[in-house]
Amino acid sequence: MMKTMKNIDSFTHVRGESLFVDDLITRQDTLYGLVFDSPKAHGKIKHVDYTKAEQVKGVVKIFTYKDILGENQIGGIIPDEPLWAEDEVHFWGQPIAFIVATSEAIAKKARLLIDIEIEELSVITTAKEAKEKQSFINTPRSFSLGDTDAAFSDCDYVIEGETFSNGQEHLYLETQGCYAVPQENGSIKITSSTQGPTAVQKTAAKVLGVPMHKIEIDVIRLGGGFGGKEDQATPWSVMAAVAVQHLNKPVKYILNRHDDMRMTGKRHPYSSFFKIGLDKNLKIVAFEAEFLQNAGAAADLSPAIAERTLFHATNSYFVPNVSTTVYSCKTNLPPNTAFRGFGGPQGMFVIESAIAKAADTIGIDKRKIQEANLLAENDEFSYGQIATNVEAQNTWFTAKEKFELDKLEKEITDFNANNAHFKKGISLMPVTFGISFTNTMMNHARALIHIYQDGSVGVSTGAVEMGQSVNTKMLQVAQNALGISANKVKLETTNTTRVANTSPSAASSTADLNGKAVLKACTALLERLAIVASKMVTADVSKISFQEDYVFVDGKKSKITWEAIVAQAMAERIALSENAHYATPVIHFDKTKEKGHPFAYHVYGTAITSVTVDCVRGTYEIDSVKIVHDFGESMNFGVDIGQVEGALAQGIGWMTMEEISYNSDGRLLSNALSTYKVPDIFSAPKTIETIAVETDGNDMAIHKSKAVGEPPLMYGIGAYFAIQQAVKAFNKNYKLKFDSPFTPEKVLMGLYEK
Ligand code: LUZ
Ligand code: MOS
């Protein structure tokens, strides 16, 4: 197992010395951008009057679609989204113009002076309404396995129901932003807070009408992304680039929190319907679901997110007959986008709800149904992949045993028997999450490694550091492979001129994909250095290895240092740089059949969540979350635990308190932290315990250390069902509802429901 280390940014982070876009030293002639966005959710633009705004001293120019020399198009999967609205607006907050001024304050002042006349059209804010009106982004997708119709007729129990899960604001600490600086001959360098440097580069080139080589994207690090900067970091950078193209001056644009919350999309709200059929042994025989995804006003990543909902619709369970369909519904909300889990959480909430309702109807514990249906080796997923190295049952039973579930349950039963106004609830939440971009084409990465002639090493990859510590992992991989100390290795910024055509840092796959490329580059470098070394120590190449900053011969340390070998290689004119490419093997998917093997592997785990509900007030506390998680062979347990705990808090927030709210006019009401509540230290679980289940890891994971970014978010779904159980313990008349988030207001209503 590899030597672990602290996040390499921790020193500069705590000293406030880490650089983000807004910390860059700006050129003296820098101008500041600000978006003027639609004050209505849907309508025809009759007239916009910029004259008063343009007259404000310090306003340099106000850009609109008319200033675009290339295409007014930023849509990725489907070209359905203009950078700036032309004659119609489709969501409240849609960018219409870009004010460029000598200061932010001046741009703000000017924004207030723009007059706009919009002829309002009808507004759709919910997915259900969109479906009724047949307002879709694209055609629906369906996955199926077996024959649900036939299977339902054989079931002892058939239960139907409906669920809703709300959106979620990304709330990255660092808002969206960029700094674009003109270079020579019409080239532009953009420092962007993006998870997808290539997406920004490609879109900027398209909108400006220039080749991609004219646009250089540099990413230092992000103050959080969570998916919100996979696609939606792009427009701001492109706007700044358009302004640079015209003005030949640097343009900076950092969104303030209000503008960011209003203009950007969020996690997709889903309205879903389920039908679940069980036999008398509690085996799930058939499962049907229809998912209505509230995509917002343009496609953005919605089709890919919809697809992942289908992939995870049966979570950790084997169901022999499955039929699932997802509709991407077009509404007048900002285009909803990637958010940690990427449609997976929304899918899992539905089957967990179905199981809860089935258990309630049959009059047994939800756990019994869950346990009877956990995935086993060689089970088939609805998309045709065969489950291997399955840890669903292992994590489940390990959790039950190691955390003494029987004892926990007894404590809860006793507590509930002895307390009138407080009730406790407990739930188990298994998670199975597929690792790889579901779009096979995206699963590749490159690394460029320079060994400088003094023996120090610079590593460039396509990975974007956003607090997940991917740079630390890349450093570990390089240092371990080259057999040198950590301080000899530096992680460079993520830059499109060094590593090109990258996939975004997303899908929990960044460390796997880029790490494998780093490993490949190091291996190639070592092969060349070994030949040099074999001559220096007169030993066969096969006997050479590199460890502890020295050449080793036959496993024994020689007198030749790493520096000496590098200097000798330089003298012999051996290439000390290497560019390596890695593409995930094995994976494939046929969309015409909706079958294939889309995932390199799956990550498994189980969480036990205990809560206490205050039955006078409707408030609740998460007493504990106890997790058994499949890390494979974690290469950095400190970092990985951080990912588990952070994702868990985010999942609990989504399920319990984060309540996105738009009014019927499509205006975002929860547009600040006074109206949008996120977990704080008081709402975090009082204790979180995480145990690593012992597994063999997986060769498709970097050093068998499995991807960890997204899967633990879905442990948060357990909080919903634990609270539900506590409500039910207080009020036998409570009828189960699956309407998340389960806010204290909804809990209170449930407690006193007749
Ligand atoms: N982004 C993406 C993702 O483009 N494709 C994916 O499959 C994915 N999965 C999770 C998170 N982001
Ligand atoms: Mo993502 S939801 O950008 O991995």
Side-chain angles (χ1 to χ4, degrees):
M1 207 178 277
M2 204 183 298
K3 222 174 92 189
T4 187
M5 67 190 297
K6 273 194 205 164
N7 179 323
I8 54 174
D9 284 344
S10 46
F11 185 76
T12 53
H13 276 359
V14 294
R15 293 167 65 95
E17 290 171 2
S18 298
L19 296 179
F20 298 84
V21 181
D22 203 16
D23 300 314
L24 288 181
I25 301 209
T26 50
R27 247 170 60 172
Q28 220 169 22
D29 55 347
T30 294
L31 300 171
Y32 296 83
L34 185 70
V35 164
F36 167 68
D37 58 297
S38 176
K40 295 289 169 206
H42 192 198
K44 288 198 166 72
I45 299 178
K46 291 315 230 188
H47 182 67
V48 195
D49 186 356
Y50 296 106
T51 40
K52 274 185 274 169
E54 280 164 343
Q55 281 159 9
V56 175
K57 190 163 173 287
V59 169
V60 178
K61 186 171 164 62
I62 300 178
F63 291 89
T64 68
Y65 71 93
K66 291 178 186 149
D67 298 298
I68 290 174
L69 302 183
E71 279 179 65
N72 183 20
Q73 185 50 251
I74 60 169
I77 298 178
I78 298 173
D80 66 351
E81 190 178 358
L83 179 70
W84 289 310
E86 299 191 3
D87 40 24
E88 280 181 8
V89 285
H90 293 271
F91 64 93
W92 198 301
Q94 181 174 354
I96 296 172
F98 190 59
I99 306 157
V100 175
T102 50
S103 79
E104 261 177 32
I106 290 170
K108 268 189 199 158
K109 197 166 139 193
R111 180 161 75 176
L112 297 171
L113 298 174
I114 297 174
D115 283 324
I116 184 161
E117 195 188 319
I118 294 175
E119 181 190 317
E120 288 183 61
L121 296 169
S122 66
V123 171
I124 303 178
T125 59
T126 67
K128 274 189 185 173
E129 195 187 343
K131 171 125 192 286
E132 273 162 29
K133 298 191 169 147
Q134 298 285 298
S135 168
F136 300 121
I137 295 288
N138 57 358
T139 50
R141 295 270 302 271
S142 296
F143 284 10
S144 72
L145 179 70
D147 181 348
T148 43
D149 286 342
F152 276 121
S153 56
D154 289 343
C155 290
D156 296 302
Y157 309 102
V158 177
I159 292 103
E160 295 182 59
E162 190 176 341
T163 73
F164 177 76
S165 63
N166 208 330
Q168 187 174 22
E169 164 63 42
H170 300 86
L171 214 83
Y172 22 64
L173 272 184
E174 179 206 25
T175 54
Q176 305 272 5
C178 62
Y179 183 47
V181 183
Q183 314 286 308
E184 294 176 340
N185 297 317
S187 292
I188 299 171
K189 178 176 175 177
I190 309 170
T191 305
S192 174
S193 179
T194 179
Q195 291 172 240
T198 295
V200 178
Q201 181 193 20
K202 192 173 159 188
T203 310
K206 179 161 135 186
V207 174
L208 271 60
V210 301
M212 279 172 77
H213 70 203
K214 293 275 190 193
I215 309 286
E216 171 185 353
I217 309 298
D218 193 68
V219 183
I220 311 166
R221 61 164 66 71
L222 320 188
F226 310 117
K229 295 170 182 171
E230 180 174 337
D231 228 34
Q232 298 206 0
T234 300
W236 330 109
S237 287
V238 175
M239 290 178 202
V242 172
V244 170
Q245 185 183 34
H246 285 269
L247 303 172
N248 202 35
K249 293 235 173 88
V251 174
K252 181 170 168 172
Y253 182 29
I254 309 285
L255 277 69
N256 72 24
R257 184 65 68 184
H258 263 97
D259 286 3
D260 189 310
M261 289 177 90
R262 183 180 66 251
M263 296 193 289
T264 63
K266 307 172 195 317
R267 184 189 291 287
H268 293 74
Y270 272 60
S271 291
S272 311
F273 305 89
F274 62 77
K275 184 172 170 189
I276 191 168
L278 298 93
D279 67 15
K280 58 181 181 315
N281 300 319
L282 304 181
K283 284 279 180 199
I284 304 174
V285 179
F287 179 66
E288 239 174 50
E290 181 178 284
F291 301 100
L292 308 185
Q293 176 198 56
N294 188 335
D300 191 272
L301 292 162
S302 297
I305 291 158
E307 179 179 57
R308 198 176 267 280
T309 300
L310 299 185
F311 282 117
H312 297 313
T314 52
N315 190 15
S316 291
Y317 310 106
F318 172 65
V319 184
N321 301 287
V322 181
S323 169
T324 51
T325 298
V326 62
Y327 293 85
S328 288
C329 301
K330 190 170 179 168
T331 63
N332 298 107
L333 301 186
N336 285 315
T337 193
F339 195 133
R340 205 171 190 173
F342 206 73
Q346 291 97 320
M348 291 184 195
F349 179 62
V350 176
I351 189 151
E352 292 302 325
S353 299
I355 292 173
K357 186 159 181 185
D360 191 59
T361 310
I362 301 168
I364 52 158
D365 206 326
K366 173 169 189 261
R367 220 134 48 245
K368 293 227 163 70
I369 300 178
Q370 292 176 299
E371 192 168 304
N373 292 282
L374 291 169
L375 272 175
E377 204 66 13
N378 297 320
D379 280 344
E380 185 177 351
F381 290 102
S382 67
Y383 45 93
Q385 185 160 343
I386 303 300
T388 54
N389 303 99
V390 182
E391 303 293 347
Q393 303 191 10
N394 188 11
T395 59
W396 176 277
F397 291 107
T398 305
K400 277 180 73 173
E401 186 192 325
K402 289 255 166 84
F403 295 126
E404 303 182 272
L405 183 67
D406 291 345
K407 205 172 131 211
L408 278 173
E409 287 203 290
K410 181 158 188 322
E411 282 167 16
I412 286 176
T413 316
D414 290 350
F415 180 94
N416 286 349
N418 293 315
N419 286 275
H421 293 125
F422 289 90
K423 295 290 176 193
K424 286 186 186 287
I426 189 167
S427 77
L428 269 76
M429 178 66 199
V431 171
T432 296
F433 195 82
I435 301 303
S436 285
F437 288 94
T438 56
N439 181 359
T440 303
M441 219 187 78
M442 292 171 78
N443 294 284
H444 59 87
R446 279 153 299 287
L448 172 66
I449 302 194
H450 298 315
I451 302 176
Y452 294 100
Q453 54 191 290
D454 66 352
S456 64
V457 173
V459 176
S460 295
T461 72
V464 169
E465 174 60 49
M466 46 188 145
Q468 87 282 44
S469 310
V470 71
N471 280 353
T472 306
K473 288 189 173 178
M474 294 306 97
L475 190 147
Q476 283 181 276
V477 172
Q479 127 183 55
N480 182 69
L482 299 173
I484 56 178
S485 13
N487 62 12
K488 286 192 173 36
V489 183
K490 180 191 171 207
L491 259 290
E492 306 291 355
T493 63
T494 313
N495 186 298
T496 53
T497 68
R498 271 179 274 113
V499 180
N501 305 321
T502 56
S503 288
S505 285
S508 306
S509 303
T510 318
D512 276 2
L513 297 172
N514 291 277
K516 291 272 189 180
V518 169
L519 200 53
K520 245 174 129 173
C522 290
T523 307
L525 287 163
L526 289 177
E527 272 173 25
R528 300 203 283 269
L529 292 179
I531 296 170
V532 177
S534 79
K535 285 184 278 181
M536 286 176 85
V537 298
T538 51
D540 192 75
V541 192
S542 64
K543 301 208 167 10
I544 305 290
S545 63
F546 297 86
Q547 298 170 50
E548 302 166 23
D549 298 315
Y550 277 86
V551 173
F552 276 56
V553 185
D554 245 347
K556 280 193 229 79
K557 194 177 196 170
S558 76
K559 293 219 161 60
I560 315 282
T561 61
W562 168 259
E563 283 82 358
I565 215 74
V566 170
Q568 181 61 25
M570 178 77 188
E572 290 183 26
R573 301 186 293 169
I574 306 288
L576 291 173
S577 296
E578 184 71 21
N579 174 42
H581 171 83
Y582 173 78
T584 312
V586 183
I587 54 171
H588 59 86
F589 195 73
D590 181 349
K591 279 197 187 182
T592 63
K593 300 193 175 72
E594 302 289 26
K595 296 282 177 195
H597 188 107
F599 299 119
Y601 57 90
H602 289 83
V603 168
Y604 302 90
T606 299
I608 304 179
T609 305
S610 312
V611 303
T612 306
V613 171
D614 176 332
C615 301
V616 175
R617 295 171 182 82
T619 53
Y620 45 77
E621 288 182 336
I622 315 283
D623 299 325
S624 67
V625 181
K626 297 166 191 281
I627 298 167
V628 175
H629 186 83
D630 163 29
F631 295 93
E633 289 180 21
S634 173
M635 73 159 86
N636 193 322
F637 201 62
V639 161
D640 287 350
I641 283 281
Q643 288 293 300
V644 170
E645 295 182 350
L648 171 70
Q650 214 161 23
I652 291 175
W654 171 55
M655 277 282 114
T656 64
M657 63 194 302
E658 298 187 39
E659 196 167 33
I660 301 262
S661 172
Y662 290 93
N663 69 9
S664 55
D665 293 335
R667 177 182 188 163
L668 180 68
L669 301 176
S670 51
N671 66 350
L673 286 172
S674 52
T675 45
Y676 185 74
K677 306 255 182 260
V678 291
D680 58 10
I681 192 67
F682 300 106
S683 41
K686 293 215 197 54
T687 64
I688 304 175
E689 280 175 80
T690 305
I691 297 179
V693 75
E694 279 171 33
T695 73
D696 296 334
N698 192 299
D699 286 325
M700 303 272 264
I702 180 66
H703 284 296
K704 298 193 170 194
S705 181
K706 283 188 164 186
V708 71
E710 296 173 286
L713 184 133
M714 284 144 277
Y715 294 142
I717 296 172
Y720 190 97
F721 294 97
I723 294 170
Q724 187 169 67
Q725 207 202 39
V727 171
K728 189 92 194 178
F730 181 81
N731 178 8
K732 299 283 169 283
N733 294 325
Y734 169 69
K735 283 192 49 203
L736 301 196
K737 276 169 272 302
F738 310 101
D739 178 18
S740 93
F742 212 163
T743 57
E745 290 83 353
K746 289 185 200 162
V747 170
L748 194 64
M749 306 274 272
L751 290 166
Y752 295 98
E753 186 175 288
K754 295 251 158 62

